[in-house]
Amino acid sequence: MSKPADTKIRNMEEFAAVSGLSRPTVSKYFNDPDSVRPSTRSRIEQALEKYDYRPNIFAMNQNRKLTKNVGIVVPYLADPFFAEIARNIEERLIAAGYRPTLYSAHGNPDLEMEILDGLRLLKPAGVLLAPLGRLSDRAEIEKFCRDVPTVLFDSNLDGIGAAFVGSDNRSFVSQTVEYLTRIGEPPAFFEMRTPANPNANKRRLAYLEHMDKLGLSPQVIKIEGEGWSFEEIGRRGAHDLFERKDLRSNAILCSNDRLAIGLLAACYERGIRVGRGPECTLRVASNDDHPFSRFTCPSLTTAAHDYDSVSSHAVAKLLELIENGGRFSDRTEDLFAARLVLRESA
Amino acid sequence: MSKPADTKIRNMEEFAAVSGLSRPTVSKYFNDPDSVRPSTRSRIEQALEKYDYRPNIFAMNQNRKLTKNVGIVVPYLADPFFAEIARNIEERLIAAGYRPTLYSAHGNPDLEMEILDGLRLLKPAGVLLAPLGRLSDRAEIEKFCRDVPTVLFDSNLDGIGAAFVGSDNRSFVSQTVEYLTRIGEPPAFFEMRTPANPNANKRRLAYLEHMDKLGLSPQVIKIEGEGWSFEEIGRRGAHDLFERKDLRSNAILCSNDRLAIGLLAACYERGIRVGRGPECTLRVASNDDHPFSRFTCPSLTTAAHDYDSVSSHAVAKLLELIENGGRFSDRTEDLFAARLVLRESA
DNA sequence: ACAAAATATTTACGCGCGGCAAGTTTTTTC
DNA sequence: GAAAAAACTTGCCGCGCGTAAATATTTTGT
C-alpha cells in the first residue's frame, strides 16, 4: 500500500500542484498522454502512482463537445448470441480508449427508443446499434442517427445509420442448402410467419433463390408466434407441422438456431430421430451457431457467424466514423460470410 | 409534430424564462416534481410539452452529492440466467426513477475490479453486485463497498456489502433430493471440482447434510474444468464419469443447470436414455431453472429460482439503503426458497 | 380581513474541468 | 551559439446546474 499519500487530491488543480505542473498541462495529458513532453509525462505518471487521482468524469464530459462514451444497443440480451457479440465489441472499445455502455431493448420498441433518447443526453461519441428490426420505429431511429454517429450491426435498416456491418445471409443459406442437398433431399425452410428480424426475410429469399437455381421445388413452412421466445415458438410450430404431416422433405433448414432448438426439442418429444444415421428420419440444419447449438440433442449443424470479423469491423467502422467527424460520404454495407459447422443433426 | 417550437432551449435558464419562472424553481421541479406548487408544476409541464427541454445530465451529476446512477454488475452476461435477472432488476430501477447501467465481468476478476473502479467515477447512488465468487478480489471489493452503497445478490461474499439477497440453496437441494429419493434411488451429486460460485459449495453441503439426515450414503462426483464454459465442462465430465463406470446410483443431481445441459448432451451422445420411463436408465435433476432447461432433451427437472422475489427484493433493499444514507446498522442476508419444476428428465 | 405559514424568487457562489490568449521557459535545429 | 519551434505557465472565462440565504409572494387558518 504505497498509494494513500497523506494528501487527498480533490481536483486537477491540486493534482497539478503535487506533480509540479500547471493544470492546463495536466489537462492536456489526460486528453492525450502523447501530447506532452516525455519528461513531463513521466512526472505526471509518477504522481499518479503516488496519489491516485482521476479526473471528474462529469466535469470532463460537460465541457467536451464529444465524450468518450459509446453506446451499444442490442435487441434482446437474454439471447446469448447478443451477449457474446456485445462482449466482443465491449472489449475492443475499451482497448481503443472508449467507455462502452451496454443496453438491451428486451424486444420492446418503446424501450429501444427510450434507450436512444437517454443516450442522446450522454453526448456519445458514437453508437453501435443492432435494431429490433421490423418493430423498430424507423422514423425515430433515423432522426437519432442524424444527431449521433451510429453504425448499425447484425440487423440492417435500409439507408439508416452511417454504415451497416453484418453477416451475409446469402452465404449462410447457400452453404447449408448446398450441403443438405448434396448428402440427401433438398430441405424445407422453417421460419416464423412474421419474423422480427430482417435477416429472416433475406434468408428466406436466399433459400428460394438457391432452390430455384438448382431447379428444385421449395417448401417454406411458416409457423405462428410473436415475440422473442423463439425456442418455444419453434417447438410449438414443429409439433403443428408434424401433426399436419405435410412436410415434403426429410430435411429442414431453420431460419435460426433458436427455432431449431425448439424444433429439436419437439422431435425428441415425438421420438423422431434426427441426424445422418440410418435410423434417422430427419435432418435439421440451421443458421447462427448459437452458443448452445453445440449442446442440443443431437448437436446442431449450422452456419456460423464470423463473430470476430463482424464485431471488430463494426468497431473499426465506428472509430473511423468518429474520426471522420460523424459523417461518411456514402453508406457502406459490409457483410461477412458464414462458416459451415458440421455437427450431428445433419 | 407540435414539439419543435421556434426557440431552441439551450439550458435551464432559458427554459425557466419561457415557462415564466426562475431557474431555481425549475431546478426544484426536476429534482422532485412534487416539491413545487401544483399550479407551477403544470406551468412547467406545459412548457415541457412545447419545448422539449431536458436538463444536462453531466451538469446535474457534477453538483449533486449522489446521482441517480445505479450500477448492476453480473459475473457473466452470456449466461441467460444473469441476462434475465438483470433485465428484471433494470426495469424496477427505471420505474423507481434511477438510471441503471449494466456491466458484465465476463468471468474475469480483473475486469470485475475495473468495472467497480469505473463505477466509482460515476458517483452511483448504489450498486447491485453479483460477484464472481471464488475468484473475486475480496479485499478490493470490500474497499469498494465501504465507499459505495452496495447490495450483493445471487452470490454471497461473507460480510461484504450492506446486504445480501439470493436464493436459499438448502431449499433447492432439499426439494430435488427429496423428490428424487421419493420416486427412486437417492441421487449422486455432480459438480465441478473447484466451483467458481459459492452457491455450489452450499449446495454440496446441503446435499451431504440431507443425505445424512435420511441415513443414505452420498456420492459426490467432482469433475475437472476451469472457467465459465459449464456446458462443455459438464459434457466432458459426464463422459469421463460413464467411462469410469463408478456411478453408484441411477439418479444424478447436478449442481446447476448448465452442467446438466452438458451432461444430458453426453447422455444423448452415448445413447443413455434419461427420464422416468421404464426404458430409461438414468434420472437427472438440477438447480436454477435456466431459461434453456425447458428445451433440453429430455426437458430438465430443476429447482427454480424465484426470479421475481430475488430481483424485486434486491432492488428494494438497495433503495432502502440509499434512503438510509448508504448504511445499515446490520447486514442482512435474505434468501428465497426454490420452486421445484417437474419436467421429463426425472 | 389579517397574521402566520408555506411557497417562490432573487442573488450569489461554487462545482471541476475545457479552452483560449499572451507571456515565459525549454528544447530543437542548423 | 543564436534563432526557431515546441512546450509550458498564468490568468481568465464559460459550461449548466446545485444550493443556500435573504426577500417577496401566495396560501392557509380563524
Side-chain angles (χ1 to χ4, degrees), chain A residues 31-81:
Chain A
N31 287 320
D32 179 6
D34 286 321
S35 68
V36 301
R37 203 181 302 157
S39 64
T40 60
R41 174 172 173 173
S42 74
R43 282 172 71 182
I44 292 176
E45 284 167 355
Q46 230 171 304
L48 268 180
E49 289 190 14
K50 201 169 165 192
Y51 293 94
D52 81 342
Y53 155 81
R54 300 171 73 178
N56 180 307
I57 200 171
F58 300 116
M60 284 181 63
N61 288 339
Q62 180 175 37
N63 300 316
R64 254 207 291 249
K65 35 209 158 190
L66 70 152
T67 68
K68 287 288 188 177
N69 296 331
V70 171
I72 306 170
V73 186
V74 299
Y76 195 74
L77 201 46
D79 183 340
F81 168 77

Side-chain angles (χ1 to χ4, degrees), chain A residues 61-275:
Chain A
N61 288 339
Q62 180 175 37
N63 300 316
R64 254 207 291 249
K65 35 209 158 190
L66 70 152
T67 68
K68 287 288 188 177
N69 296 331
V70 171
I72 306 170
V73 186
V74 299
Y76 195 74
L77 201 46
D79 183 340
F81 168 77
F82 287 112
E84 265 304 321
I85 204 161
R87 183 179 69 81
N88 215 316
I89 288 175
E90 245 183 18
E91 269 176 18
R92 294 174 200 276
L93 284 171
I94 291 173
Y98 287 84
R99 283 185 60 95
T101 308
L102 180 57
Y103 300 89
S104 167
H106 301 315
N108 179 348
D110 295 334
L111 186 52
E112 184 170 55
M113 277 319 301
E114 275 178 36
I115 290 167
L116 295 184
D117 270 352
L119 227 30
R120 270 199 162 90
L121 303 181
L122 293 182
K123 295 191 224 164
V127 169
L128 282 165
L129 169 63
L132 282 170
R134 179 172 56 84
L135 295 174
S136 290
D137 186 335
R138 285 184 55 97
E140 287 295 318
I141 290 184
E142 194 163 15
K143 260 192 207 169
F144 177 83
C145 293
R146 275 203 296 272
D147 300 342
V148 181
T150 303
V151 169
L152 298 195
F153 71 101
D154 180 67
S155 166
N156 197 5
L157 299 179
D158 291 323
I160 296 184
F164 172 72
V165 178
S167 291
D168 178 5
N169 290 295
R170 184 169 275 126
S171 149
F172 279 65
V173 172
S174 66
Q175 289 187 61
T176 44
V177 170
E178 194 272 334
Y179 168 74
L180 288 170
T181 306
R182 179 153 48 82
I183 64 159
E185 294 181 16
F189 189 78
F190 186 83
E191 68 165 356
M192 286 168 70
R193 181 172 300 286
T194 50
N197 191 302
N199 292 325
N201 296 323
K202 298 204 174 119
R203 287 173 185 177
R204 180 186 349 94
L205 292 177
Y207 164 76
L208 292 171
E209 206 171 280
H210 204 85
M211 292 292 278
D212 186 60
K213 201 174 70 186
L214 297 176
L216 301 169
S217 78
Q219 180 183 12
V220 174
I221 300 154
K222 290 181 173 296
I223 64 175
E224 306 298 330
E226 282 287 327
W228 286 76
S229 303
F230 296 169
E231 293 87 358
E232 183 60 21
I233 291 169
R235 195 183 71 89
R236 293 234 176 96
H239 276 305
D240 287 351
L241 171 66
F242 297 134
E243 217 66 61
R244 289 199 310 268
K245 296 190 205 304
D246 64 356
L247 178 60
R248 298 201 299 272
S249 169
N250 67 6
I252 295 180
L253 173 58
C254 293
S255 180
N256 65 67
D257 281 357
R258 293 183 60 196
L259 287 177
I261 287 168
L263 185 144
L264 289 177
C267 289
Y268 186 91
E269 286 165 9
R270 300 178 86 87
I272 297 174
R273 300 289 302 238
V274 175

Side-chain angles (χ1 to χ4, degrees), chain B residues 19 48 79 120 141 157 168 193 210 215 281 288 330:
Chain B
S19 49
L48 267 181
D79 183 339
R120 270 198 161 92
I141 291 183
L157 299 179
D168 179 5
R193 181 172 301 284
H210 204 85
T281 57
D288 286 343
D330 40 30

